[in-house]
Amino acid sequence: MWDRLLVDCKIATLQARPGDPLGIIDNGAIGITDGKIVRVGKRTELAGTRAKQVDALDGAWVTPGLIDCHTHLVFGGNRADEHAMLRAGATYEEVAKAGGGIASTVERTKAASDDELLEQSRARLHALMRGGCTTIEIKSGYGLDPKSEIRLLKIAESLGEGEAVRIVPTLLALHALPAGSRDRRAHYVGEMIDKLLPAVARDQLAASVDAYCDTIAFTLAETERLFAAATELGLPVRLHAEQLSNRGGAKMAARYKALSADHLEHIDEAGVEAMAQAGTVAVLLPGAFYALQETKKPPIDLFRAHGVPMAVATDCNPGTSPLLSPTLAINMACTLFGLTPEEALAGMTVNAARALGLELEIGTIATGKIADLAVWRLESLTELGYWIGLPGPERRIFAGVDG
């Protein structure tokens, strides 16, 4: 006997078939036991099965739970003052050089107690969960020294305790240079690689390692040094790449079989080809594009032509993407970048799972996968990309249980 059976629903399995990118099953049913999907198909195919709990969904749509695969969720304070500067005409680089940007968030984060950071971050976590997220990646990066970065990873882990959500911690080892290290770049990079990385690997504090490679951040050589060390320690890598300029970061990351390269507004075809060959996912972040009022879009047609999977994420952070709605991220991916509604939904499910290296566990509705689901009261799933800031699902199911 199964633990639970969902019936009378339309299912978007996200297992693409020719002519059917969402893998739709009409009049479907999903059997769940021990938090995993044991059977999915048409209701008639599951006739006669018994379950302890049967939920009739009255024709609602069921999708995989949404996956936000790129956030900076744990931070202190906010940067609403910088929002005003940007609206007055300052560029992101000008704000950073004036002492704002990442540096200001680092200061406020270090000043906050662990309990204060947990309280502030939990409110943001709950907003993403209400929007339909069952898995949320959280980066460190607002510590800028080994001890502080480890602190943030532990807070991210604590944030998920007692919550019906999966937290995937990422070590953002090279995010920005501390003010006192601008003349000691090599020393700082060496400290983060030689001291921080081994400690994180030893204590299994992060699922992957990330860096910010761009004009106002770290060089290609510095980033590659980090990636070589992370790979040696068995940690997968990801990269903030080609957001403000084309530094060749995505192409380099592909050499290390990076799980993802994120932003990518300035990537060229050589970088896209390298990602395709490596199986690296392109993570699109329309919230940052919107907030920074950028005009150069990621090359969506190139990603399509070369078969690069496209994920979509909120990039929730205090400065360049104060976005707490996964459904708004889906809409923005459609309206700003030109994704189809089907591509955008795949971007926050199956392709987001790939970007986290979790495609064998989550991201599609299939036998053996974890039963992370979202139930939507919609006429058509195209509405997920149509409504601006659509409220979250009617029901969110995490590992087989409503949450």
Side-chain angles (χ1 to χ4, degrees):
M1 179 180 289
W2 296 340
D3 292 340
R4 191 171 189 182
L5 180 63
L6 308 179
V7 299
D8 189 17
C9 55
K10 293 170 285 189
I11 305 169
T13 66
L14 271 294
Q15 292 187 294
R17 301 186 290 258
D20 180 12
L22 298 183
I24 291 173
I25 299 173
D26 289 317
N27 188 25
I30 303 171
I32 300 169
T33 288
D34 294 331
K36 291 189 174 182
I37 298 167
V38 292
R39 186 77 184 275
V40 57
K42 286 187 173 294
R43 180 67 182 97
T44 53
E45 298 171 355
L46 278 68
T49 56
R50 299 176 62 195
K52 297 174 185 176
Q53 176 181 340
V54 178
D55 294 302
L57 300 182
D58 193 26
W61 279 97
V62 181
T63 70
L66 300 185
I67 300 167
D68 197 344
C69 66
H70 182 132
T71 84
H72 304 254
L73 199 70
V74 176
F75 58 84
N78 63 61
R79 281 158 42 198
D81 53 342
E82 293 176 22
H83 170 75
M85 290 175 65
L86 292 168
R87 299 293 75 81
T91 67
Y92 181 40
E93 292 176 273
E94 288 170 343
V95 168
K97 290 177 181 178
I102 294 168
S104 64
T105 294
V106 170
E107 182 179 345
R108 294 172 187 177
T109 301
K110 288 189 174 184
S113 68
D114 288 3
D115 286 343
E116 288 170 336
L117 285 179
L118 279 168
E119 181 181 1
Q120 294 176 39
S121 302
R122 197 175 303 282
R124 295 186 283 268
L125 177 76
H126 287 168
L128 293 175
M129 291 168 64
R130 287 193 299 271
C133 287
T134 50
T135 296
I136 299 170
E137 184 258 19
I138 300 178
K139 302 180 191 297
S140 67
Y142 292 128
L144 306 191
D145 64 69
K147 182 179 179 180
S148 299
E149 292 296 320
I150 288 172
R151 174 198 182 211
L152 294 180
L153 290 172
K154 289 181 176 180
I155 288 173
E157 181 182 21
S158 298
L159 192 60
E161 294 174 0
E163 299 282 1
V165 69
R166 181 177 300 96
I167 300 298
V168 181
T170 297
L171 171 63
L172 182 47
L174 295 180
H175 194 194
L177 276 172
S181 298
R182 300 195 188 282
D183 297 326
R184 302 169 65 239
R185 292 184 68 101
H187 174 80
Y188 177 75
V189 172
E191 183 179 47
M192 301 303 273
I193 293 172
D194 298 335
K195 293 184 179 180
L196 176 59
L197 267 184
V200 169
R202 181 191 64 238
D203 295 337
Q204 299 181 326
L205 297 176
S208 63
V209 174
D210 201 345
Y212 184 19
C213 179
D214 218 316
T215 51
I216 61 172
F218 292 89
T219 68
L220 194 64
E222 291 165 339
T223 305
E224 183 161 12
R225 184 181 166 193
L226 171 72
F227 279 13
T231 302
E232 185 70 22
L233 290 168
L235 288 167
V237 297
R238 307 177 66 197
L239 185 63
H240 291 61
E242 274 73 90
Q243 180 186 12
L244 305 175
S245 65
N246 184 6
R247 312 284 280 190
K251 189 174 181 180
M252 181 276 294
R255 292 203 302 272
Y256 289 88
K257 305 296 182 184
L259 292 173
S260 74
D262 306 27
H263 287 292
L264 302 175
E265 284 87 340
H266 291 263
I267 193 171
D268 58 19
E269 188 161 11
V272 174
E273 289 175 345
M275 289 178 64
Q277 292 170 8
T280 299
V281 176
V283 178
L284 308 178
L285 304 173
F289 179 89
Y290 169 83
L292 293 173
Q293 296 183 290
E294 296 288 351
T295 56
K296 187 171 179 60
K297 301 178 182 181
I300 303 302
D301 286 340
L302 279 180
F303 294 140
R304 289 172 177 152
H306 290 280
V308 174
M310 293 180 287
V312 175
T314 65
D315 190 18
C316 174
N317 74 74
T320 62
S321 188
L323 175 58
L324 289 169
S325 169
T327 55
L328 182 53
I330 289 173
N331 169 268
M332 285 180 167
C334 295
T335 58
L336 298 180
F337 291 165
L339 268 64
T340 67
E342 293 83 4
E343 287 174 329
L345 177 56
M348 290 205 82
T349 52
V350 58
N351 290 339
R354 291 172 180 159
L356 297 177
L358 295 176
E359 65 271 24
L360 298 180
E361 301 175 38
I362 57 175
T364 61
I365 300 176
T367 300
K369 293 288 187 76
I370 298 172
D372 290 353
L373 307 168
V375 179
W376 306 89
R377 188 62 56 184
L378 303 169
E379 290 294 322
S380 167
L381 282 183
T382 59
E383 293 182 53
L384 286 174
Y386 163 71
W387 292 109
I388 301 173
L390 180 78
E394 177 179 272
R395 184 180 299 183
R396 198 183 65 95
I397 297 172
F398 176 71
V401 179
D402 286 3

